[in-house]
Amino acid sequence: MEKSLKPHEIGVMFWADGDPVRTVEQLTSLGVRCGQMGIPGDLDLKCAPEWSRALAAASFRVYTVFAAFDGESYADIPAVQSTVGFTPRATREEREKRMRAVIDFAAQIGAPGVATHVGFVPDNVRDPDFIAVREMVRRIADEAGHRNLTFALETGQETAEVLLEFIHDVNRDNVGINFDPANMILYGTGDPIEALGLVGEHVLSVHCKDGDAPAGENALGEEKPLGQGSVGMERFLAALRHAGYSGPLFIEREARDPEQRLRDIRAGLELLRRLSV
C-alpha cells in the first residue's frame, strides 16, 4: 500500500458499515487516496482482514480509525453528556474493552492512529470523573503505544483550555488531538481559530467540517456543507499553516441522505482543492 501522503493531502472521513470493496471503490471514485474510518459500535471487528485486502488493492490509506460506541446519542447537549465517550460511568469498562479491540483492528489494517470522542471532560482536575477518564485515557494510550499507534481526542465538547490541561495531565507522548473546527461551534465551546492557536502543537489530524452555532440552551448547532457554515475554510487553512500542521485534511459530512452526503463531499473537495492551490 502506498504510505506517503502529500502535505495537506485531501481525504474523506467514512464509516466501515458496508462492503469493504464497494466502499473503497466509492472513495477512490472521489479522487482521494486517504481517509479516516469510523467504526460503528456494533461492527464485528473480525472483518479487519477484508478491509485490509480492499485497502491494499486500491492503495488507499486509512490514517485514523475512529471508535464510536453503542448507546451514544448526539440529540442535544444533555444527551451527549450522559451517553458519549468515557464520561458515563456505567459504560466505561465495556468501552475501554471496545477501544482496545479497535486498536487491534487499526493495527491489522495498517492505520497509524486511533481516535474517539472521550465525552465532556470536567473542568476540575480533582473531580473523580476527570481522574477516572484521565486514567482510562492513559491505559488506552499505553495500549496504542505498544502497537506504535497514536491516540487522538476529538475536539468540541470542552474548551481548548480544558482540553489542553487534560492532555498535559494525561502526559503521554502518543496522545494528541483530532481538530474539528465545526464541533467547537456546534457545542458553543469557543472560536476554533483561537483554539487552534492554543492547541496547535498537539494536533495529529484534522476534520474539515462546517456548521453554525446552537439556536438555544442545551441545543447543538447545525452541521452545514463545507463552506456554508461559520468556520471560514480559508481562515481555517491559513491557521493550520501558521500552526505548522502539514498533515492530511479530512472532509467529514454526516448528512442523513447518502446521496446528499456524497454531493456535499464532492463540493467540499472542490472547495478545498481551490483554496489549497
Side-chain angles (χ1 to χ4, degrees), residues 90-106:
T91 53
R92 280 181 192 150
E93 184 176 353
E94 67 183 66
R95 289 181 179 178
E96 181 170 348
K97 182 178 179 181
R98 177 68 173 182
M99 199 70 218
R100 291 175 183 273
V102 169
I103 288 169
D104 183 63
F105 179 98

Side-chain angles (χ1 to χ4, degrees), residues 233-273:
M233 280 299 129
E234 189 168 6
R235 192 171 68 117
F236 178 55
L237 294 179
L240 286 174
R241 296 187 194 98
H242 183 74
Y245 178 79
S246 60
L249 308 172
F250 296 107
I251 294 176
E252 182 183 23
R253 179 67 173 128
E254 298 296 344
R256 293 181 180 179
D257 178 3
E259 293 303 318
Q260 183 63 52
R261 178 177 178 272
L262 278 175
R263 287 193 293 272
D264 290 346
I265 287 174
R266 289 192 182 98
L269 287 167
E270 291 178 9
L271 174 64
L272 288 185
R273 287 165 181 157

Side-chain angles (χ1 to χ4, degrees), residues 5 10-14 27 32-38 60-65 111 248 250:
L5 298 176
I10 302 169
V12 174
M13 170 75 185
F14 68 97
L27 291 167
V32 299
R33 61 180 189 138
C34 64
Q36 293 179 310
M37 176 190 287
F60 191 94
R61 186 186 186 191
V62 171
Y63 196 81
T64 316
V65 176
F250 296 107

Side-chain angles (χ1 to χ4, degrees), residues 105 168 187 212 230 234 247 265:
F105 179 98
H168 286 164
Y187 285 91
D212 288 333
S230 302
E234 189 168 6
I265 287 174

Side-chain angles (χ1 to χ4, degrees), residues 13 15 37-43 45 63-70 72 74 84-87 91-108 111-119 133-147 149-154 174-176 178 204:
M13 170 75 185
W15 288 89
M37 176 190 287
I39 300 293
D42 60 353
L43 182 71
L45 299 181
Y63 196 81
T64 316
V65 176
F66 266 83
F69 304 105
D70 282 341
E72 291 183 311
Y74 291 87
V84 169
F86 303 158
T87 306
T91 53
R92 280 181 192 150
E93 184 176 353
E94 67 183 66
R95 289 181 179 178
E96 181 170 348
K97 182 178 179 181
R98 177 68 173 182
M99 199 70 218
R100 291 175 183 273
V102 169
I103 288 169
D104 183 63
F105 179 98
Q108 288 188 63
V114 295
T116 196
H117 277 291
V118 299
V133 173
R134 180 197 65 195
E135 293 306 308
M136 186 172 169
V137 169
R138 285 176 173 173
R139 292 191 298 271
I140 292 168
D142 289 343
E143 178 69 18
H146 293 153
R147 309 298 291 270
L149 303 180
T150 58
F151 181 28
L153 315 178
E154 173 109 4
N174 66 327
V175 171
N178 182 79
L204 298 173

